[in-house]
């Protein structure tokens, strides 16, 4: 039976598995291969693998590793891509994806303005210092995107499927059309959605980037990143990583692969919990704004339903505390007992973060204000706990219990 015909839950459990072995038995679960080097019995054998004439592994540190390769196969299968290459973190994946897309001195890039803070700073600071020109646009303003892309002919257009932390939803098919009409590659950070909710390659993306540290691994205990793309782009990512050396280690790959198996279960619970929490927050007097695309009055509510086939909008939402600045937000976060105040998202645990202090700290106050990240904005990543307990914790911290 072709795995393509199987459902997402089945593929999440089995994709990539049982391809290693060959000693008369087959481990059900992919083993961890910690070996750095691989021998082939003859120099010709090793040469054939190095020359890409035979499949195999030669050097785990910067080339490939059997356990990591299984994780890559699994995520490529779930995203519907030809191939994937895994990295030590989401930012490493984004960095090498940008290099593979051709970003260098003299080139232009157009990027959604409200992307994750480190992605923003990578472009605005590092790549700009290296000679690239970066144009940030509101991806909801398609005319502005079209104008930026047709004027500057960037090598890449970059967006997040659902943005961090304002929860704006990118119109992927439309953005892909704009990018391709002017010769740009369309790079999509799909961290907030994961392939369970949305597969951007099917909507025209050329590369899909994940911080697998988040929902994919899912348990707050592993750092990982991955790019899913064509075989041709994957070959370029590999060549670049041989120089950059930001590979995902086999232990982390094994944990990420294990996390992938329960991704649909966790995402279903997190989507349901986040929807209930968002609805409850909209009824609270101390909250002025709730950003969550499943709320019926969210400006891209219909779009998110289309992109995620009605499965939900993920586990992250953000909201504004009324008349609040840093001191009031800190007080609110310190009152929380169940919900942990930590700089990450997508875990089984509910987590709260203050973007002005953490995820978007590297932006100036003016940059944050221009994007719409206010000093009263709080980001909440809703975990898999009982939703009543999450709401009770928010209520006591808001003083409304
Ligand atoms: N993309 C998004 C949307 C993120 O939220 C993050 C981290 O929070 C990253 C990329 C970077 O991932 P990592 O922290 O694994 O480098």
């Amino acid at each position: 039976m072709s795995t393509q015909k199987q459902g997402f839950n089945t593929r999440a459990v089995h994709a990539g598995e049982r391809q290693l072995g060959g000693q008369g038995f087959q481990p059900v679960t992919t083993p961890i291969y910690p070996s750095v080097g691989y021998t082939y019995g003859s120099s010709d054998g090793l040469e054939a693998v190095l020359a890409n004439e035979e499949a195999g592994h030669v050097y785990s540190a910067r080339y490939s590793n059997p356990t990591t390769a299984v994780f890559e196969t699994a995520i490529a299968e779930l995203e519907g891509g030809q191939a994937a290459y895994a990295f030590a973190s989401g930012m490493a994946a984004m960095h090498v994806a940008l290099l593979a897309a051709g970003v260098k001195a003299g080139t232009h890039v157009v990027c959604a303005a409200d992307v994750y803070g480190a992605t923003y700073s990578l472009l605005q600071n590092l790549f700009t210092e290296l000679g690239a020109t970066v144009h940030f646009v509101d991806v909801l303003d398609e005319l502005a995107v079209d104008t930026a892309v047709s004027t500057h002919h960037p090598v890449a257009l970059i967006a997040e499927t659902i943005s961090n932390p304002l929860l704006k939803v990118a119109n992927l098919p439309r953005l892909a059309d704009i990018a391709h009409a002017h010769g740009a590659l369309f790079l999509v950070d799909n961290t907030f959605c994961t392939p369970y909710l949305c597969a951007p390659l099917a909507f025209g993306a050329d590369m899909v980037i994940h911080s697998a540290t988040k929902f994919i691994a899912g348990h707050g205990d592993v750092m990982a990143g991955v790019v899913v793309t064509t075989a041709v782009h994957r070959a370029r990512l590999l060549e670049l990583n041989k120089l950059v050396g930001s590979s995902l280690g086999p232990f982390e790959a094994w944990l990420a692969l294990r996390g992938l198996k329960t991704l649909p279960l966790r995402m279903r619970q997190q989507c349901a919990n986040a929807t209930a929490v968002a609805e409850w927050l909209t009824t609270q007097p101390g909250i002025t704004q709730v950003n969550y695309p499943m709320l019926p009055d969210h400006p891209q509510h219909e779009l998110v339903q289309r992109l995620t086939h009605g499965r939900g909008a993920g586990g992250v939402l953000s909201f504004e505390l009324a008349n609040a600045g840093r001191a009031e937000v800190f007080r609110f976060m310190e009152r929380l007992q169940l919900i942990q105040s930590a700089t990450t998202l997508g875990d089984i645990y509910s987590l709260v973060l203050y973007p002005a202090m953490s995820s978007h700290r590297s932006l100036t106050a003016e940059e944050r204000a221009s994007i719409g990240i206010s000093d009263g904005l709080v980001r909440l990543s809703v975990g898999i706990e009982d939703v009543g307990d999450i709401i009770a914790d928010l209520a006591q911290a808001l003083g409304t219990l």
Side-chain angles (χ1 to χ4, degrees):
M1 183 176 174
S2 156
T3 53
Q4 282 299 331
K5 295 200 173 63
Q6 294 174 336
F8 191 92
N9 298 308
T10 309
R11 289 184 288 131
V13 170
H14 292 285
E17 294 285 14
R18 290 171 294 282
Q19 295 184 8
L20 306 173
Q23 293 175 330
F25 60 88
Q26 177 70 68
V28 173
T29 298
T30 294
I32 300 172
Y33 282 73
S35 185
V36 173
Y38 297 83
T39 65
Y40 287 88
S42 74
S43 299
D44 282 345
L46 183 59
E47 162 63 21
V49 177
L50 276 165
N52 290 328
E53 289 157 4
E54 297 283 344
H57 303 276
V58 290
Y59 186 49
S60 290
R62 287 176 286 110
Y63 291 41
S64 67
N65 167 277
T67 310
T68 306
V70 171
F71 170 63
E72 291 168 347
T73 302
I75 188 77
E77 158 78 25
L78 295 179
E79 283 282 4
Q82 287 176 357
Y85 195 82
F87 292 90
S89 71
M91 283 315 299
M94 177 57 81
H95 195 145
V96 180
L98 290 168
L99 293 173
V103 181
K104 60 182 177 189
T107 63
H108 290 251
V109 175
V110 174
C111 182
D114 67 323
V115 285
Y116 171 58
T119 303
Y120 185 99
S121 300
L122 173 68
L123 288 162
Q124 174 73 349
N125 302 336
L126 188 57
F127 276 107
T128 302
E129 278 169 22
L130 293 173
T133 306
V134 182
H135 310 270
F136 290 103
V137 289
D138 179 356
V139 282
L140 300 186
D141 184 346
E142 286 172 21
L143 187 61
V145 180
D146 197 40
T147 303
V149 174
S150 59
T151 307
H152 303 295
H153 294 280
V155 290
L157 171 64
I158 303 147
E160 293 174 356
T161 317
I162 298 181
S163 72
N164 180 2
L166 293 172
L167 285 295
K168 292 184 182 178
V169 184
N171 190 336
L172 301 183
R174 184 74 196 103
L175 295 177
D177 284 349
I178 295 172
H180 296 157
H182 301 283
L185 293 179
F186 183 35
L187 274 53
V188 177
D189 182 331
N190 198 32
T191 299
F192 272 34
C193 279
T194 80
Y196 173 68
L197 293 178
C198 178
L201 296 173
F203 293 111
D206 298 289
M207 294 191 208
V208 172
I209 297 112
H210 282 284
S211 169
T213 313
K214 309 294 189 282
F215 292 100
I216 286 178
H219 293 70
D221 54 9
V222 56
M223 284 74 72
V226 66
V227 181
V228 187
T229 185
T230 60
V232 171
H233 289 315
R234 199 259 184 204
R236 181 76 187 127
L237 293 166
L238 167 62
E239 288 313 310
L240 286 162
N241 195 52
K242 286 180 187 174
L243 308 176
V244 172
S246 195
S247 310
L248 184 64
F251 294 92
E252 289 78 9
W254 187 84
L255 279 170
L257 182 66
R258 191 172 66 166
L260 211 46
K261 297 178 192 311
T262 54
L263 173 68
L265 299 175
R266 288 184 282 106
M267 280 306 263
R268 277 197 286 275
Q269 177 85 358
Q270 284 173 285
C271 288
N273 281 359
T275 303
V277 170
E279 285 168 354
W280 178 81
L281 283 168
T282 61
T283 66
Q284 297 309 298
I287 306 291
T288 52
Q289 168 75 30
V290 183
N291 303 312
Y292 188 61
M294 286 313 280
L295 292 174
D297 61 355
H298 187 280
Q300 293 96 49
H301 179 64
E302 186 272 330
L303 175 62
V304 87
Q305 299 270 37
R306 219 165 356 111
L307 293 181
T308 69
H309 309 287
R311 284 181 168 161
V316 182
L317 56 92
S318 60
F319 54 93
E320 304 254 358
L321 290 181
N323 305 317
R326 180 188 164 100
E328 292 74 20
V329 172
F330 278 18
R331 218 168 31 243
F332 164 73
M333 296 201 324
E334 283 162 9
R335 275 199 224 121
L336 292 166
Q337 291 167 3
L338 173 69
I339 300 169
Q340 301 298 304
S341 175
T343 307
T344 186
L345 61 90
D347 295 356
I348 49 176
Y349 314 98
S350 288
L351 301 157
V352 72
L353 172 142
Y354 184 38
M357 176 179 71
S358 298
S359 62
H360 289 69
R361 186 188 185 89
S362 55
L363 278 66
T364 63
E366 293 72 34
E367 284 172 330
R368 282 196 297 272
S370 74
I371 294 165
I373 299 173
S374 75
D375 286 348
L377 186 77
V378 177
R379 190 187 77 192
L380 177 64
S381 174
V382 183
I384 64 167
E385 303 97 334
D386 290 297
V387 72
D389 293 332
I390 300 169
I391 290 175
D393 196 29
L394 289 167
Q396 64 80 20
L398 288 168
T400 54
L401 197 63

